[in-house]
Amino acid sequence: GHGIAWAAARWAVDQAVCLGATVIYVEDLATLEPALGRQVNARISASVRGQFQDALRHLGAKAGCAVVTVPARGTSAICPQCLRRLRHYTSPERLRSGYPWAHCSHCGLSADRDHAAAQRICSRGLSSQPAVHQDPRTRHLAIRQAQDSQVARCLRRQPRLGPTTRPHTHPVPWRRRVLSPPAAAAVNGQRPEGGVPQVGVTSAPGQDTRAQPYPTPLRHRPRWVS
Ligand SMILES: [Zn+2]
């Protein structure tokens, strides 16, 4: 149990460091409900959890990552997205009452039970930051009065279906198929209006802000400009 706890803590701290996180939120063991699931030996599990959190604090401190406990109440019972009651099933395909899969009939969340609970723990910790309390004896950081907030749905780009064109495989930049409009002629030796793209200068509303190209000297003109 001891080795597993330290290996798990090492993994968790490495993950946090890779993500640039400065805090890890964990469930407060004192507030955990005694029923941890039928298959789990609750006594051994509680002992390993305690060792895990000790290891997490130790390794986290070395990596500059604070470990803060949050109340565990309702972390797996409530939907992280809409804060309404979740239902649990055996799997996403078979909506038979079970343990490992969480589904929300209100907002449509469908997620691994532990993943949904982790989102709840993290959002609870982040929204309760002003309430972090340090125990004067153990110096452990804890949140006692939890605030809850909704986790925004991740706007992940959908993968494209079918073959995709890769824009950067051509050795030279693609040329425009449509010729650009002729550049405005210089007046009195001055550059035409809008000829130079200005950085940090705002233009009047309605004005065309697109940068116009300089008139290209003849010898530099590509051959397709006739
Ligand atoms: Zn929901």
Side-chain angles (χ1 to χ4, degrees), residues 79-84 86 104-109:
C79 173
Q81 286 182 174
C82 71
L83 302 181
R84 281 184 261 202
L86 284 173
C104 176
S105 53
H106 300 281
C107 72
L109 173 113

Side-chain angles (χ1 to χ4, degrees), residues 8 20 28 39 53 77 79 81 91 94-95 104 109 178 187-188 198 203 211 216 226:
D28 189 342
Q39 303 94 329
Q53 291 202 359
C79 173
Q81 286 182 174
S91 79
R94 302 174 68 191
L95 295 185
C104 176
L109 173 113
V178 179
V187 181
N188 296 333
Q198 298 286 323
S203 53
T216 315
S226 53

Side-chain angles (χ1 to χ4, degrees), residues 183-184 191-192 194-198 211-217 221:
R191 280 189 297 260
V196 185
Q198 298 286 323
Q212 301 292 318
Y214 286 112
T216 315
R221 282 197 187 181

Side-chain angles (χ1 to χ4, degrees), residues 5-51:
W6 278 83
R10 176 77 270 162
W11 180 86
V13 169
D14 287 349
Q15 293 288 313
V17 168
C18 285
L19 292 167
T22 54
V23 61
I24 298 171
Y25 295 108
V26 290
E27 285 181 316
D28 189 342
L29 296 175
T31 64
L32 271 182
E33 289 133 40
L36 292 165
R38 263 165 286 174
Q39 303 94 329
V40 183
N41 184 320
R43 195 168 53 83
I44 291 174
S45 172
S47 157
V48 172
R49 280 164 186 252
Q51 290 172 13

